[in-house]
Amino acid sequence: MRMLTAHHFAGFAAGPRLIVLGAVHGNETAGTRGIQRVLGELDGGRWRVERGSLTLVPVTNPLAYAKGTRSGERNLNRRLLPTDAPRSTPGRSQVDRPPSGGGVRTRTPGGPMQYEDHIANTLCPWLAAHDVLLDLHSFRSPGQPFVMRGPADNRGALEPFAHAVAEGRLAEHIGPARIVDGWMSAYAQGAARRRARGLPDADPSYGIGTTEYMRAQGGYGVTLECGQHDDAAAPEVAWRAIRQAVALLGLADLPLAPPAAPLQRLSLVTVVDREHDDDRFAKTWTSFDALRAGDVIATRRDGTPLRAERDGHIVFPDPNAQPGHEWFYLAVKA
């Protein structure tokens, strides 16, 4: 578990460089199984990469995968940045020189590096060496697959970006009909509130995962949530998405299916944190359950109801969230 395995296929003609990740979270195996199916096709000569390159990483977090848990020692898909040294000044995070692939390099704030820090030091240069990322995940509650994409083109300080059209085309073609954006801006607002209350996870950079890091390196990418963890159809969602991405980018002579229709486009607008163990949901929510303005979503320990301010959807409800951490997101029609 002290190495990462990648399978790299390069065509003789020029073209985009695509990297596909599975099991960034160790209990999310649909992507791993989808990648293994594609590897079987490539090894069996059923199709080949003609242009550009394709890198497949079936298991991105080997420790978490071996344990069958979301994380090894921490969430790999939060604050994904290269780390410069095993130890640093306790309680302080230091910014250092850019790594060879570009971007920001940090030193771990005190103590030994966690397992995921070692992964990041290998994975981040791989991401920086590619043009496009497809990151394959799954989720705990029942629900339909969906795609997470990034922001519109902008020159802002939070997540500057210049490939929104290409990323949108990728999001539309990989299969699901639901496309969600707004992750970083919603997370940054939540981080600001935590910072004002002196809570952990108050740094907006904690919201940086694989796709956010990819965009910071000049590329683009999407996260595909393939379905519920144990859904038998989820590995096929992953497999089809890989083939669609390969076809769309012209890496191989595979057929390209049209986007699903109609597409549902949603934007995350806010995140609500759990403040106490006695905070309770009003019902058992599933991601993308519809909300009407005024609906009671949850109740605080002191009896204060949390109501939907407008029509929309609840996303990523977590009844097991720890106090001071993300409890649920709200999304509205984009």
Side-chain angles (χ1 to χ4, degrees):
M1 292 185 292
R2 295 190 61 83
M3 71 174 187
L4 290 184
T5 299
H7 304 263
H8 186 71
F9 302 85
F12 288 164
R17 298 163 295 178
L18 170 65
I19 183 169
V20 182
L21 304 181
V24 165
H25 295 133
N27 62 339
E28 301 179 13
T29 61
T32 302
R33 294 164 66 186
I35 289 172
Q36 289 168 340
R37 183 172 173 183
V38 169
L39 284 171
E41 293 177 343
L42 288 165
D43 291 342
R46 294 181 59 184
W47 56 275
R48 60 180 180 267
V49 174
E50 304 277 3
R51 293 163 288 277
S53 67
L54 172 64
T55 301
L56 302 171
V57 185
V59 177
T60 311
N61 192 330
L63 176 60
Y65 185 79
K67 293 168 61 179
T69 57
R70 180 174 174 83
S71 304
E73 295 179 341
R74 69 169 178 85
N75 189 342
L76 177 62
N77 217 26
R78 297 290 187 276
R79 210 167 196 282
L80 180 70
L81 295 168
T83 304
D84 208 24
R87 296 180 183 272
S88 67
T89 305
R92 199 168 65 192
S93 181
Q94 303 174 10
V95 177
D96 208 79
R97 66 183 183 279
S100 58
V104 174
R105 182 182 291 273
T106 66
R107 290 196 177 107
T108 304
M113 288 169 60
Q114 294 172 310
Y115 181 81
E116 280 79 0
D117 295 329
H118 293 283
I119 296 176
N121 280 351
T122 298
L123 179 62
C124 288
W126 288 1
L127 294 176
H130 290 77
D131 303 307
V132 186
L133 165 67
L134 174 59
D135 190 7
L136 301 168
H137 288 253
S138 59
F139 44 84
R140 180 167 43 193
S141 301
Q144 297 300 310
F146 63 95
V147 185
M148 294 283 291
R149 61 164 295 179
D153 288 346
N154 72 94
R155 297 184 180 181
L158 182 63
E159 193 178 14
F161 192 46
H163 300 293
V165 171
E167 189 174 276
R169 188 179 301 118
L170 177 64
E172 291 172 356
H173 275 87
I174 58 175
R178 178 178 288 143
I179 301 174
V180 183
D181 63 35
W183 161 258
M184 274 295 282
S185 58
Y187 189 88
Q189 292 172 24
R193 290 192 293 271
R194 293 183 203 109
R195 188 162 56 249
R197 297 170 59 200
L199 295 174
D201 301 341
D203 184 348
S205 69
Y206 189 73
I208 295 174
T210 56
T211 52
E212 291 77 24
Y213 187 82
M214 189 74 184
R215 295 182 196 113
Q217 305 309 302
Y220 64 91
V222 299
T223 297
L224 171 57
E225 298 282 354
C226 298
Q228 190 177 24
H229 295 331
D230 299 325
D231 187 342
E236 180 154 343
V237 173
W239 168 74
R240 291 185 182 279
I242 298 168
R243 289 174 56 99
Q244 280 286 100
V246 167
L248 178 67
L249 296 171
L251 306 186
D253 297 326
L254 293 175
L256 177 65
L263 288 170
Q264 181 189 37
R265 304 178 190 271
L266 299 173
S267 291
L268 299 176
V269 291
T270 191
V271 57
V272 177
D273 292 345
R274 196 175 193 182
E275 296 179 356
H276 193 277
D277 284 329
D278 291 336
D279 291 350
R280 291 287 183 266
F281 281 124
K283 57 178 282 188
T284 301
W285 295 105
T286 297
S287 267
F288 301 103
D289 279 347
L291 295 169
R292 293 285 189 181
D295 284 352
V296 176
I297 302 169
T299 304
R300 294 291 190 193
R301 182 192 188 193
D302 64 2
T304 302
L306 299 179
R307 298 180 182 274
E309 294 183 358
R310 49 179 162 160
D311 293 354
H313 300 264
I314 188 170
V315 184
F316 305 137
D318 184 1
N320 299 314
Q322 297 298 309
H325 293 266
E326 306 147 78
W327 196 17
F328 61 91
Y329 285 78
L330 296 174
V332 299
K333 185 177 179 181

